[in-house]
Amino acid sequence: MNWTDLNLIPAMPEIVLLSALGIVLLVDLWLKDSQRHITHYLSLLALVATAAAQWSVWQTDNITTFGNMYIADGVSQLSKMVMYAGLFTLFVYSKPYNQARNIFKGEYYTLSLFALLGMSVMASAGHFLVAYVGLELLSLSLYAMIALRRESARAAEAALKYFVLGALASGLLLYGISMVYGATGSLDFAVVAGNAFSGNANPWLLKLGVVFIVVAIAFKFGAVPFHMWVPDVYEGAPTSTATLVGTIPKIAAVVFSFRILGMALGSQAGAEGQSGWMQMFAILAVASLLLGNLAAIMQTNIKRMLAYSTISHMGFILLAFMSGVFGFSAALYYALAYVVMGLVGFGVLMLLSNEQHECEEISDLAGLNQRNAWYAFLMLLTMFSMAGIPPLMGFFAKLYVIQALLGSGYIALAVFAVIMSLIGAFYYLRVVKVMYFDPAQNEAPIGGCAAAKTLLSINALLLLVWGIMPKTVLDWCVQALQNVF
């Protein structure tokens, strides 16, 4: 095939993002530290231009290009728009925080945009190697970002631990992909699914490949027992970086898993692919819900508490994958809800941090209602939503997963998920108790710029608005999956 026959239009968002990233990188080379705000605004402009490119090529039909290696469909388009909006929000939140910690540098923005490019590639991958390249681009960017504070021993330790474990997970993924290739003779998702379904694949080699792939996916989700890096990274990394690690990549991980397990190794791939990974997901989900919630109860550091909370939330997403198409919709909705919740929670922590003090202990939130009732209310919305209290968005995220489980006959797992939600409510409500009933220990004025405070308020209120009208977002997720299968 001649290169001029390629249809580049579906990949226009990635082309625009990479071009804009190159411009940001070059301009930043010539800027002094006092002019770093130019990099900030250029990065925001790059995200707006990328989102506009995505909107301009938006379509309802599924399109493949680059020899079926790239897929443009509802799932990729919705997930990318969420990722663009999430990173835009994070850039606005993180500016005052990074300035106070001397990490307001071009590296933060360029590495974040590289991570976004990797996530975009993951979301549109139609081939195992493309998915792997996207995952590695994301991972390598995050490794460097975690260690941005060079003088921090905790950040260096967290980055090294994440790098070593991430490299191991990447190796396992690559090994699993090689086994899938050996079993089916292809790395194209559609061809793998077709060969497995028609019986033209080696069933035992395919099963072994699925095991390695699921282990790598579990690592990226931070699911038990591959969760060791999560609390250390959340605690050791700057809060602005921990926010990125803990929120936006979850959308990419859900779509990445959907591409590999739902399309290549899902129901259309026969029992060799489907039954094995579903059983593994059930075990991983139960372990994540149990350990995540119980460990979070014992934490006094709020970033570690949110880390273990994330592990339990990923357990819900893994459960959703077991319930077919509606389960995929529920998983996508849950990931979207978690991004919104996580951005608010970490956003408040960044707002409460200043040059002399890092807000990272639960006790640092003591008396927040006395200091600023509005920000206490925003954090309350986040904690209630994460706990699954109606009518907030987090309640409906959990409800849809439980409905999907019940609809698929997994009654015991649904009951277990409800029990774990009740246990999880304890540590979320403890944060609310500290904010509203404990005396303030820090009377310092709350900093932050007007743009960050305004966007944080809008971000938090979305939890309430989308909780009152949950069908709006769920319909987006259902429609995104309509023409995929």
PDB file of all heavy atoms in Angstrom, residues 289-326:
ATOM      1  N   LEU A 289     -11.023  -4.917  46.343  1.00  0.00           N
ATOM      2  CA  LEU A 289     -12.053  -4.322  47.191  1.00  0.00           C
ATOM      3  C   LEU A 289     -11.762  -4.574  48.661  1.00  0.00           C
ATOM      4  O   LEU A 289     -11.895  -3.676  49.499  1.00  0.00           O
ATOM      5  CB  LEU A 289     -13.426  -4.888  46.820  1.00  0.00           C
ATOM      6  CG  LEU A 289     -14.054  -4.352  45.531  1.00  0.00           C
ATOM      7  CD1 LEU A 289     -15.241  -5.207  45.112  1.00  0.00           C
ATOM      8  CD2 LEU A 289     -14.497  -2.906  45.715  1.00  0.00           C
ATOM      9  N   LEU A 290     -11.351  -5.790  48.974  1.00  0.00           N
ATOM     10  CA  LEU A 290     -11.123  -6.157  50.373  1.00  0.00           C
ATOM     11  C   LEU A 290      -9.903  -5.440  50.939  1.00  0.00           C
ATOM     12  O   LEU A 290      -9.992  -4.738  51.954  1.00  0.00           O
ATOM     13  CB  LEU A 290     -10.960  -7.677  50.485  1.00  0.00           C
ATOM     14  CG  LEU A 290     -10.828  -8.248  51.903  1.00  0.00           C
ATOM     15  CD1 LEU A 290     -12.091  -7.966  52.698  1.00  0.00           C
ATOM     16  CD2 LEU A 290     -10.554  -9.743  51.855  1.00  0.00           C
ATOM     17  N   LEU A 291      -8.756  -5.593  50.276  1.00  0.00           N
ATOM     18  CA  LEU A 291      -7.538  -4.990  50.805  1.00  0.00           C
ATOM     19  C   LEU A 291      -7.574  -3.466  50.710  1.00  0.00           C
ATOM     20  O   LEU A 291      -7.150  -2.777  51.634  1.00  0.00           O
ATOM     21  CB  LEU A 291      -6.320  -5.536  50.059  1.00  0.00           C
ATOM     22  CG  LEU A 291      -4.964  -5.128  50.640  1.00  0.00           C
ATOM     23  CD1 LEU A 291      -3.966  -6.276  50.527  1.00  0.00           C
ATOM     24  CD2 LEU A 291      -4.374  -3.888  49.946  1.00  0.00           C
ATOM     25  N   GLY A 292      -8.089  -2.949  49.600  1.00  0.00           N
ATOM     26  CA  GLY A 292      -8.121  -1.499  49.427  1.00  0.00           C
ATOM     27  C   GLY A 292      -8.910  -0.803  50.518  1.00  0.00           C
ATOM     28  O   GLY A 292      -8.446   0.181  51.111  1.00  0.00           O
ATOM     29  N   ASN A 293     -10.096  -1.319  50.817  1.00  0.00           N
ATOM     30  CA  ASN A 293     -10.937  -0.683  51.838  1.00  0.00           C
ATOM     31  C   ASN A 293     -10.376  -0.871  53.244  1.00  0.00           C
ATOM     32  O   ASN A 293     -10.374   0.067  54.052  1.00  0.00           O
ATOM     33  CB  ASN A 293     -12.360  -1.238  51.766  1.00  0.00           C
ATOM     34  CG  ASN A 293     -13.153  -0.643  50.615  1.00  0.00           C
ATOM     35  OD1 ASN A 293     -13.220   0.574  50.456  1.00  0.00           O
ATOM     36  ND2 ASN A 293     -13.728  -1.490  49.776  1.00  0.00           N
ATOM     37  N   LEU A 294      -9.904  -2.080  53.562  1.00  0.00           N
ATOM     38  CA  LEU A 294      -9.389  -2.323  54.906  1.00  0.00           C
ATOM     39  C   LEU A 294      -8.102  -1.538  55.163  1.00  0.00           C
ATOM     40  O   LEU A 294      -7.904  -1.001  56.256  1.00  0.00           O
ATOM     41  CB  LEU A 294      -9.146  -3.819  55.104  1.00  0.00           C
ATOM     42  CG  LEU A 294     -10.406  -4.702  55.096  1.00  0.00           C
ATOM     43  CD1 LEU A 294     -10.037  -6.164  55.315  1.00  0.00           C
ATOM     44  CD2 LEU A 294     -11.404  -4.245  56.141  1.00  0.00           C
ATOM     45  N   ALA A 295      -7.231  -1.464  54.157  1.00  0.00           N
ATOM     46  CA  ALA A 295      -5.981  -0.711  54.332  1.00  0.00           C
ATOM     47  C   ALA A 295      -6.238   0.786  54.426  1.00  0.00           C
ATOM     48  O   ALA A 295      -5.545   1.501  55.167  1.00  0.00           O
ATOM     49  CB  ALA A 295      -5.020  -1.017  53.186  1.00  0.00           C
ATOM     50  N   ALA A 296      -7.230   1.285  53.690  1.00  0.00           N
ATOM     51  CA  ALA A 296      -7.533   2.727  53.722  1.00  0.00           C
ATOM     52  C   ALA A 296      -7.995   3.170  55.101  1.00  0.00           C
ATOM     53  O   ALA A 296      -7.736   4.305  55.520  1.00  0.00           O
ATOM     54  CB  ALA A 296      -8.586   3.061  52.676  1.00  0.00           C
ATOM     55  N   ILE A 297      -8.677   2.286  55.827  1.00  0.00           N
ATOM     56  CA  ILE A 297      -9.160   2.631  57.159  1.00  0.00           C
ATOM     57  C   ILE A 297      -8.004   2.975  58.092  1.00  0.00           C
ATOM     58  O   ILE A 297      -8.130   3.835  58.963  1.00  0.00           O
ATOM     59  CB  ILE A 297      -9.995   1.453  57.732  1.00  0.00           C
ATOM     60  CG1 ILE A 297     -11.300   1.301  56.954  1.00  0.00           C
ATOM     61  CG2 ILE A 297     -10.290   1.655  59.216  1.00  0.00           C
ATOM     62  CD1 ILE A 297     -12.117   0.093  57.348  1.00  0.00           C
ATOM     63  N   MET A 298      -6.868   2.332  57.901  1.00  0.00           N
ATOM     64  CA  MET A 298      -5.741   2.484  58.828  1.00  0.00           C
ATOM     65  C   MET A 298      -4.840   3.671  58.494  1.00  0.00           C
ATOM     66  O   MET A 298      -3.864   3.921  59.203  1.00  0.00           O
ATOM     67  CB  MET A 298      -4.904   1.197  58.820  1.00  0.00           C
ATOM     68  CG  MET A 298      -5.679  -0.024  59.283  1.00  0.00           C
ATOM     69  SD  MET A 298      -4.668  -1.523  59.322  1.00  0.00           S
ATOM     70  CE  MET A 298      -4.505  -1.872  57.569  1.00  0.00           C
ATOM     71  N   GLN A 299      -5.112   4.393  57.420  1.00  0.00           N
ATOM     72  CA  GLN A 299      -4.211   5.460  56.977  1.00  0.00           C
ATOM     73  C   GLN A 299      -4.491   6.779  57.696  1.00  0.00           C
ATOM     74  O   GLN A 299      -5.645   7.132  57.938  1.00  0.00           O
ATOM     75  CB  GLN A 299      -4.331   5.664  55.468  1.00  0.00           C
ATOM     76  CG  GLN A 299      -4.073   4.417  54.647  1.00  0.00           C
ATOM     77  CD  GLN A 299      -2.738   3.769  54.944  1.00  0.00           C
ATOM     78  OE1 GLN A 299      -1.704   4.437  55.040  1.00  0.00           O
ATOM     79  NE2 GLN A 299      -2.756   2.447  55.101  1.00  0.00           N
ATOM     80  N   THR A 300      -3.423   7.492  58.013  1.00  0.00           N
ATOM     81  CA  THR A 300      -3.539   8.861  58.519  1.00  0.00           C
ATOM     82  C   THR A 300      -3.106   9.871  57.460  1.00  0.00           C
ATOM     83  O   THR A 300      -3.451  11.048  57.562  1.00  0.00           O
ATOM     84  CB  THR A 300      -2.676   9.044  59.783  1.00  0.00           C
ATOM     85  OG1 THR A 300      -1.310   8.722  59.461  1.00  0.00           O
ATOM     86  CG2 THR A 300      -3.148   8.121  60.904  1.00  0.00           C
ATOM     87  N   ASN A 301      -2.337   9.411  56.487  1.00  0.00           N
ATOM     88  CA  ASN A 301      -1.931  10.259  55.363  1.00  0.00           C
ATOM     89  C   ASN A 301      -3.035  10.208  54.310  1.00  0.00           C
ATOM     90  O   ASN A 301      -3.386   9.133  53.821  1.00  0.00           O
ATOM     91  CB  ASN A 301      -0.605   9.745  54.785  1.00  0.00           C
ATOM     92  CG  ASN A 301      -0.074  10.622  53.674  1.00  0.00           C
ATOM     93  OD1 ASN A 301      -0.700  10.737  52.623  1.00  0.00           O
ATOM     94  ND2 ASN A 301       1.089  11.216  53.884  1.00  0.00           N
ATOM     95  N   ILE A 302      -3.593  11.359  53.969  1.00  0.00           N
ATOM     96  CA  ILE A 302      -4.766  11.354  53.075  1.00  0.00           C
ATOM     97  C   ILE A 302      -4.398  10.918  51.660  1.00  0.00           C
ATOM     98  O   ILE A 302      -5.219  10.320  50.958  1.00  0.00           O
ATOM     99  CB  ILE A 302      -5.451  12.735  53.063  1.00  0.00           C
ATOM    100  CG1 ILE A 302      -6.814  12.622  52.373  1.00  0.00           C
ATOM    101  CG2 ILE A 302      -4.574  13.797  52.399  1.00  0.00           C
ATOM    102  CD1 ILE A 302      -7.716  13.810  52.568  1.00  0.00           C
ATOM    103  N   LYS A 303      -3.151  11.161  51.239  1.00  0.00           N
ATOM    104  CA  LYS A 303      -2.757  10.709  49.904  1.00  0.00           C
ATOM    105  C   LYS A 303      -2.652   9.188  49.861  1.00  0.00           C
ATOM    106  O   LYS A 303      -3.047   8.558  48.873  1.00  0.00           O
ATOM    107  CB  LYS A 303      -1.441  11.372  49.496  1.00  0.00           C
ATOM    108  CG  LYS A 303      -1.601  12.867  49.205  1.00  0.00           C
ATOM    109  CD  LYS A 303      -0.267  13.580  49.105  1.00  0.00           C
ATOM    110  CE  LYS A 303       0.480  13.228  47.844  1.00  0.00           C
ATOM    111  NZ  LYS A 303       1.717  14.033  47.684  1.00  0.00           N
ATOM    112  N   ARG A 304      -2.160   8.579  50.936  1.00  0.00           N
ATOM    113  CA  ARG A 304      -2.141   7.115  50.992  1.00  0.00           C
ATOM    114  C   ARG A 304      -3.563   6.560  51.116  1.00  0.00           C
ATOM    115  O   ARG A 304      -3.884   5.510  50.552  1.00  0.00           O
ATOM    116  CB  ARG A 304      -1.283   6.630  52.158  1.00  0.00           C
ATOM    117  CG  ARG A 304       0.199   6.859  51.966  1.00  0.00           C
ATOM    118  CD  ARG A 304       1.022   6.206  53.067  1.00  0.00           C
ATOM    119  NE  ARG A 304       1.103   4.757  52.876  1.00  0.00           N
ATOM    120  CZ  ARG A 304       2.025   4.147  52.172  1.00  0.00           C
ATOM    121  NH1 ARG A 304       2.977   4.850  51.551  1.00  0.00           N
ATOM    122  NH2 ARG A 304       2.045   2.834  52.071  1.00  0.00           N
ATOM    123  N   MET A 305      -4.399   7.275  51.840  1.00  0.00           N
ATOM    124  CA  MET A 305      -5.799   6.841  51.942  1.00  0.00           C
ATOM    125  C   MET A 305      -6.465   6.863  50.576  1.00  0.00           C
ATOM    126  O   MET A 305      -7.184   5.921  50.193  1.00  0.00           O
ATOM    127  CB  MET A 305      -6.559   7.753  52.902  1.00  0.00           C
ATOM    128  CG  MET A 305      -7.972   7.268  53.235  1.00  0.00           C
ATOM    129  SD  MET A 305      -9.097   8.605  53.715  1.00  0.00           S
ATOM    130  CE  MET A 305      -9.609   9.227  52.109  1.00  0.00           C
ATOM    131  N   LEU A 306      -6.221   7.917  49.814  1.00  0.00           N
ATOM    132  CA  LEU A 306      -6.788   7.999  48.465  1.00  0.00           C
ATOM    133  C   LEU A 306      -6.181   6.934  47.554  1.00  0.00           C
ATOM    134  O   LEU A 306      -6.847   6.448  46.639  1.00  0.00           O
ATOM    135  CB  LEU A 306      -6.549   9.393  47.882  1.00  0.00           C
ATOM    136  CG  LEU A 306      -7.377  10.525  48.494  1.00  0.00           C
ATOM    137  CD1 LEU A 306      -6.928  11.879  47.946  1.00  0.00           C
ATOM    138  CD2 LEU A 306      -8.866  10.322  48.235  1.00  0.00           C
ATOM    139  N   ALA A 307      -4.923   6.549  47.817  1.00  0.00           N
ATOM    140  CA  ALA A 307      -4.288   5.495  47.022  1.00  0.00           C
ATOM    141  C   ALA A 307      -5.002   4.163  47.241  1.00  0.00           C
ATOM    142  O   ALA A 307      -5.353   3.461  46.280  1.00  0.00           O
ATOM    143  CB  ALA A 307      -2.813   5.380  47.388  1.00  0.00           C
ATOM    144  N   TYR A 308      -5.209   3.798  48.502  1.00  0.00           N
ATOM    145  CA  TYR A 308      -5.915   2.547  48.778  1.00  0.00           C
ATOM    146  C   TYR A 308      -7.371   2.629  48.349  1.00  0.00           C
ATOM    147  O   TYR A 308      -7.973   1.639  47.936  1.00  0.00           O
ATOM    148  CB  TYR A 308      -5.800   2.198  50.259  1.00  0.00           C
ATOM    149  CG  TYR A 308      -4.441   1.650  50.623  1.00  0.00           C
ATOM    150  CD1 TYR A 308      -3.533   2.403  51.365  1.00  0.00           C
ATOM    151  CD2 TYR A 308      -4.059   0.380  50.213  1.00  0.00           C
ATOM    152  CE1 TYR A 308      -2.281   1.906  51.695  1.00  0.00           C
ATOM    153  CE2 TYR A 308      -2.806  -0.134  50.534  1.00  0.00           C
ATOM    154  CZ  TYR A 308      -1.921   0.632  51.278  1.00  0.00           C
ATOM    155  OH  TYR A 308      -0.675   0.123  51.570  1.00  0.00           O
ATOM    156  N   SER A 309      -7.931   3.843  48.439  1.00  0.00           N
ATOM    157  CA  SER A 309      -9.293   4.054  47.929  1.00  0.00           C
ATOM    158  C   SER A 309      -9.345   3.790  46.432  1.00  0.00           C
ATOM    159  O   SER A 309     -10.282   3.155  45.922  1.00  0.00           O
ATOM    160  CB  SER A 309      -9.724   5.487  48.232  1.00  0.00           C
ATOM    161  OG  SER A 309     -10.773   5.897  47.398  1.00  0.00           O
ATOM    162  N   THR A 310      -8.318   4.245  45.708  1.00  0.00           N
ATOM    163  CA  THR A 310      -8.252   3.997  44.268  1.00  0.00           C
ATOM    164  C   THR A 310      -8.226   2.503  43.971  1.00  0.00           C
ATOM    165  O   THR A 310      -8.887   2.034  43.037  1.00  0.00           O
ATOM    166  CB  THR A 310      -6.989   4.659  43.674  1.00  0.00           C
ATOM    167  OG1 THR A 310      -7.056   6.074  43.888  1.00  0.00           O
ATOM    168  CG2 THR A 310      -6.866   4.375  42.189  1.00  0.00           C
ATOM    169  N   ILE A 311      -7.479   1.763  44.761  1.00  0.00           N
ATOM    170  CA  ILE A 311      -7.407   0.310  44.567  1.00  0.00           C
ATOM    171  C   ILE A 311      -8.790  -0.307  44.687  1.00  0.00           C
ATOM    172  O   ILE A 311      -9.184  -1.167  43.884  1.00  0.00           O
ATOM    173  CB  ILE A 311      -6.429  -0.307  45.590  1.00  0.00           C
ATOM    174  CG1 ILE A 311      -5.002   0.165  45.308  1.00  0.00           C
ATOM    175  CG2 ILE A 311      -6.506  -1.831  45.568  1.00  0.00           C
ATOM    176  CD1 ILE A 311      -4.005  -0.182  46.399  1.00  0.00           C
ATOM    177  N   SER A 312      -9.564   0.138  45.678  1.00  0.00           N
ATOM    178  CA  SER A 312     -10.920  -0.407  45.833  1.00  0.00           C
ATOM    179  C   SER A 312     -11.825   0.010  44.681  1.00  0.00           C
ATOM    180  O   SER A 312     -12.646  -0.778  44.205  1.00  0.00           O
ATOM    181  CB  SER A 312     -11.518   0.042  47.172  1.00  0.00           C
ATOM    182  OG  SER A 312     -11.779   1.432  47.187  1.00  0.00           O
ATOM    183  N   HIS A 313     -11.667   1.236  44.201  1.00  0.00           N
ATOM    184  CA  HIS A 313     -12.471   1.683  43.058  1.00  0.00           C
ATOM    185  C   HIS A 313     -12.131   0.877  41.807  1.00  0.00           C
ATOM    186  O   HIS A 313     -13.012   0.558  41.002  1.00  0.00           O
ATOM    187  CB  HIS A 313     -12.230   3.171  42.798  1.00  0.00           C
ATOM    188  CG  HIS A 313     -12.896   4.075  43.777  1.00  0.00           C
ATOM    189  ND1 HIS A 313     -14.265   4.134  43.935  1.00  0.00           N
ATOM    190  CD2 HIS A 313     -12.391   4.961  44.668  1.00  0.00           C
ATOM    191  CE1 HIS A 313     -14.566   5.018  44.872  1.00  0.00           C
ATOM    192  NE2 HIS A 313     -13.435   5.534  45.332  1.00  0.00           N
ATOM    193  N   MET A 314     -10.858   0.562  41.632  1.00  0.00           N
ATOM    194  CA  MET A 314     -10.475  -0.259  40.478  1.00  0.00           C
ATOM    195  C   MET A 314     -11.084  -1.650  40.579  1.00  0.00           C
ATOM    196  O   MET A 314     -11.361  -2.294  39.566  1.00  0.00           O
ATOM    197  CB  MET A 314      -8.955  -0.348  40.371  1.00  0.00           C
ATOM    198  CG  MET A 314      -8.267   0.979  40.068  1.00  0.00           C
ATOM    199  SD  MET A 314      -8.935   1.829  38.607  1.00  0.00           S
ATOM    200  CE  MET A 314      -9.899   3.140  39.375  1.00  0.00           C
ATOM    201  N   GLY A 315     -11.311  -2.117  41.815  1.00  0.00           N
ATOM    202  CA  GLY A 315     -12.003  -3.391  41.987  1.00  0.00           C
ATOM    203  C   GLY A 315     -13.403  -3.343  41.400  1.00  0.00           C
ATOM    204  O   GLY A 315     -13.864  -4.300  40.761  1.00  0.00           O
ATOM    205  N   PHE A 316     -14.107  -2.227  41.585  1.00  0.00           N
ATOM    206  CA  PHE A 316     -15.438  -2.062  40.999  1.00  0.00           C
ATOM    207  C   PHE A 316     -15.365  -2.100  39.471  1.00  0.00           C
ATOM    208  O   PHE A 316     -16.209  -2.716  38.807  1.00  0.00           O
ATOM    209  CB  PHE A 316     -16.047  -0.732  41.455  1.00  0.00           C
ATOM    210  CG  PHE A 316     -16.989  -0.871  42.624  1.00  0.00           C
ATOM    211  CD1 PHE A 316     -16.549  -0.640  43.911  1.00  0.00           C
ATOM    212  CD2 PHE A 316     -18.304  -1.249  42.434  1.00  0.00           C
ATOM    213  CE1 PHE A 316     -17.399  -0.767  44.995  1.00  0.00           C
ATOM    214  CE2 PHE A 316     -19.167  -1.383  43.500  1.00  0.00           C
ATOM    215  CZ  PHE A 316     -18.715  -1.140  44.791  1.00  0.00           C
ATOM    216  N   ILE A 317     -14.371  -1.430  38.913  1.00  0.00           N
ATOM    217  CA  ILE A 317     -14.243  -1.401  37.450  1.00  0.00           C
ATOM    218  C   ILE A 317     -13.962  -2.803  36.908  1.00  0.00           C
ATOM    219  O   ILE A 317     -14.530  -3.206  35.885  1.00  0.00           O
ATOM    220  CB  ILE A 317     -13.141  -0.408  37.037  1.00  0.00           C
ATOM    221  CG1 ILE A 317     -13.594   1.031  37.321  1.00  0.00           C
ATOM    222  CG2 ILE A 317     -12.787  -0.561  35.560  1.00  0.00           C
ATOM    223  CD1 ILE A 317     -12.573   2.090  37.000  1.00  0.00           C
ATOM    224  N   LEU A 318     -13.115  -3.556  37.592  1.00  0.00           N
ATOM    225  CA  LEU A 318     -12.824  -4.921  37.158  1.00  0.00           C
ATOM    226  C   LEU A 318     -14.079  -5.792  37.214  1.00  0.00           C
ATOM    227  O   LEU A 318     -14.301  -6.642  36.344  1.00  0.00           O
ATOM    228  CB  LEU A 318     -11.720  -5.525  38.029  1.00  0.00           C
ATOM    229  CG  LEU A 318     -10.334  -4.884  37.909  1.00  0.00           C
ATOM    230  CD1 LEU A 318      -9.361  -5.526  38.890  1.00  0.00           C
ATOM    231  CD2 LEU A 318      -9.797  -4.985  36.499  1.00  0.00           C
ATOM    232  N   LEU A 319     -14.915  -5.578  38.231  1.00  0.00           N
ATOM    233  CA  LEU A 319     -16.177  -6.322  38.315  1.00  0.00           C
ATOM    234  C   LEU A 319     -17.084  -5.992  37.128  1.00  0.00           C
ATOM    235  O   LEU A 319     -17.761  -6.869  36.588  1.00  0.00           O
ATOM    236  CB  LEU A 319     -16.905  -5.995  39.621  1.00  0.00           C
ATOM    237  CG  LEU A 319     -16.349  -6.605  40.912  1.00  0.00           C
ATOM    238  CD1 LEU A 319     -17.155  -6.112  42.107  1.00  0.00           C
ATOM    239  CD2 LEU A 319     -16.363  -8.124  40.855  1.00  0.00           C
ATOM    240  N   ALA A 320     -17.092  -4.721  36.741  1.00  0.00           N
ATOM    241  CA  ALA A 320     -17.964  -4.309  35.633  1.00  0.00           C
ATOM    242  C   ALA A 320     -17.601  -5.024  34.339  1.00  0.00           C
ATOM    243  O   ALA A 320     -18.483  -5.328  33.523  1.00  0.00           O
ATOM    244  CB  ALA A 320     -17.882  -2.796  35.440  1.00  0.00           C
ATOM    245  N   PHE A 321     -16.317  -5.327  34.139  1.00  0.00           N
ATOM    246  CA  PHE A 321     -15.878  -5.968  32.897  1.00  0.00           C
ATOM    247  C   PHE A 321     -16.460  -7.369  32.722  1.00  0.00           C
ATOM    248  O   PHE A 321     -16.410  -7.926  31.634  1.00  0.00           O
ATOM    249  CB  PHE A 321     -14.347  -6.040  32.855  1.00  0.00           C
ATOM    250  CG  PHE A 321     -13.708  -4.849  32.214  1.00  0.00           C
ATOM    251  CD1 PHE A 321     -13.377  -3.729  32.958  1.00  0.00           C
ATOM    252  CD2 PHE A 321     -13.452  -4.829  30.857  1.00  0.00           C
ATOM    253  CE1 PHE A 321     -12.797  -2.625  32.381  1.00  0.00           C
ATOM    254  CE2 PHE A 321     -12.865  -3.720  30.259  1.00  0.00           C
ATOM    255  CZ  PHE A 321     -12.541  -2.620  31.012  1.00  0.00           C
ATOM    256  N   MET A 322     -17.001  -7.930  33.779  1.00  0.00           N
ATOM    257  CA  MET A 322     -17.502  -9.296  33.710  1.00  0.00           C
ATOM    258  C   MET A 322     -18.921  -9.385  33.184  1.00  0.00           C
ATOM    259  O   MET A 322     -19.481 -10.470  33.080  1.00  0.00           O
ATOM    260  CB  MET A 322     -17.430  -9.935  35.101  1.00  0.00           C
ATOM    261  CG  MET A 322     -16.036  -9.977  35.694  1.00  0.00           C
ATOM    262  SD  MET A 322     -16.034 -10.552  37.388  1.00  0.00           S
ATOM    263  CE  MET A 322     -16.766 -12.162  37.186  1.00  0.00           C
ATOM    264  N   SER A 323     -19.528  -8.263  32.844  1.00  0.00           N
ATOM    265  CA  SER A 323     -20.963  -8.256  32.548  1.00  0.00           C
ATOM    266  C   SER A 323     -21.308  -7.847  31.126  1.00  0.00           C
ATOM    267  O   SER A 323     -22.360  -7.255  30.887  1.00  0.00           O
ATOM    268  CB  SER A 323     -21.680  -7.323  33.542  1.00  0.00           C
ATOM    269  OG  SER A 323     -21.398  -7.709  34.860  1.00  0.00           O
ATOM    270  N   GLY A 324     -20.442  -8.131  30.175  1.00  0.00           N
ATOM    271  CA  GLY A 324     -20.775  -7.885  28.782  1.00  0.00           C
ATOM    272  C   GLY A 324     -20.824  -6.421  28.415  1.00  0.00           C
ATOM    273  O   GLY A 324     -20.160  -5.577  29.032  1.00  0.00           O
ATOM    274  N   VAL A 325     -21.637  -6.088  27.414  1.00  0.00           N
ATOM    275  CA  VAL A 325     -21.676  -4.729  26.862  1.00  0.00           C
ATOM    276  C   VAL A 325     -22.119  -3.714  27.901  1.00  0.00           C
ATOM    277  O   VAL A 325     -21.528  -2.638  28.043  1.00  0.00           O
ATOM    278  CB  VAL A 325     -22.598  -4.674  25.625  1.00  0.00           C
ATOM    279  CG1 VAL A 325     -22.672  -3.253  25.091  1.00  0.00           C
ATOM    280  CG2 VAL A 325     -22.084  -5.616  24.539  1.00  0.00           C
ATOM    281  N   PHE A 326     -23.199  -4.026  28.662  1.00  0.00           N
ATOM    282  CA  PHE A 326     -23.633  -3.076  29.698  1.00  0.00           C
ATOM    283  C   PHE A 326     -22.560  -2.908  30.760  1.00  0.00           C
ATOM    284  O   PHE A 326     -22.374  -1.821  31.313  1.00  0.00           O
ATOM    285  CB  PHE A 326     -24.943  -3.544  30.343  1.00  0.00           C
ATOM    286  CG  PHE A 326     -25.482  -2.563  31.353  1.00  0.00           C
ATOM    287  CD1 PHE A 326     -26.057  -1.365  30.946  1.00  0.00           C
ATOM    288  CD2 PHE A 326     -25.381  -2.818  32.709  1.00  0.00           C
ATOM    289  CE1 PHE A 326     -26.535  -0.448  31.877  1.00  0.00           C
ATOM    290  CE2 PHE A 326     -25.860  -1.912  33.648  1.00  0.00           C
ATOM    291  CZ  PHE A 326     -26.438  -0.731  33.227  1.00  0.00           C
TER     292      PHE A 326
END
